[in-house]
Amino acid sequence: MLRAALMIVLLGPLAAVDAGVLHVAPGGNDAADGQSWATALASAQVAVDRAGPGDTVVIRSGDDRLPGFTIRRSGRPDAPLVVRGESRDRPLRLT
């Protein structure tokens, strides 16, 4: 079975003013709202499924290896859907 790694590149700030941020962290809960680290989601897939144009999904790294995910909808040129790691010092790697 082939395993592919996806590197999420740090992206700049969003163009949309009232964009939302969804948080994903080890130990999170996919039934939570994901609006803060205290209410973080457990999986990136749930976060990107909830995200829309102008939103950012921020993924906190635990062991630097999270399952990959599929983005099923897109943002717009003026309101991109952004997925990034929490750390600005290193890329987040998904497997």
Side-chain angles (χ1 to χ4, degrees):
M1 179 176 188
L2 293 174
R3 296 185 78 165
L6 170 68
M7 184 184 304
I8 301 298
V9 179
L10 179 64
L11 299 174
L14 293 174
V17 174
D18 50 345
V21 177
L22 292 168
H23 300 79
V24 178
N29 180 344
D30 283 339
D33 65 16
Q35 299 296 308
S36 70
W37 290 119
T39 61
L41 300 165
S43 68
Q45 187 63 61
V46 169
V48 298
D49 286 348
R50 290 186 190 178
D55 290 341
T56 298
V57 174
V58 182
I59 302 173
R60 177 174 280 172
S61 178
D63 64 0
D64 283 345
R65 292 163 47 107
L66 296 171
F69 54 88
T70 302
I71 298 175
R72 296 181 176 99
R73 65 178 125 181
S74 65
R76 300 185 313 263
D78 64 328
L81 192 161
V82 176
V83 179
R84 68 173 179 85
E86 176 189 26
S87 173
R88 296 186 182 273
D89 297 329
R90 64 179 192 214
L92 178 68
R93 299 179 199 286
L94 304 177
T95 59

